Amino acid sequence: MTDFFNSGDAWLVIGLALIILEIVGNLGYISISFGIGSIATGLLAKLGGVPNLFNTNWADELLIAAICSLIALLALRYVFRRAPAKDINDY
């Protein structure tokens, strides 16, 4: 069971579940950004690219997931921002 969490598979499953939750629930790009961050962390863990900043592996992965999720959230908000509505009465 611990091999499932240490190999990065858990991050991939959590990321996929969060993206499916976003598709079903339409939560305003919040859970999809956490899903992207989780998948990025899972891929980094699979490739062995998670840096060893703390003494525990889970804290390093959690920090990477938080940073990737924040970057994904800001990128999605920038891409899908709403254009100002034009008033029909403006000539």
Side-chain angles (χ1 to χ4, degrees):
M1 186 70 173
T2 58
D3 187 41
F4 178 71
F5 289 104
N6 291 335
S7 67
D9 292 334
W11 286 109
L12 295 174
V13 170
I14 290 170
L16 184 63
L18 286 170
I19 289 174
I20 291 171
L21 178 70
E22 178 68 40
I23 291 170
V24 172
N26 193 12
L27 301 174
Y29 306 113
I30 298 297
S31 64
I32 197 168
S33 64
F34 286 116
I36 291 170
S38 297
I39 288 175
T41 304
L43 291 175
L44 281 173
K46 284 242 180 243
L47 297 173
V50 177
N52 192 7
L53 301 174
F54 303 108
N55 291 334
T56 58
N57 194 24
W58 64 268
D60 298 330
E61 290 178 0
L62 193 61
L63 180 66
I64 296 296
I67 291 171
C68 290
S69 297
L70 181 64
I71 291 170
L73 178 65
L74 293 176
L76 287 172
R77 292 288 180 180
Y78 179 76
V79 170
F80 295 115
R81 68 175 179 252
R82 292 186 180 157
K86 289 186 97 177
D87 189 13
I88 195 168
N89 295 322
D90 287 341
Y91 298 106

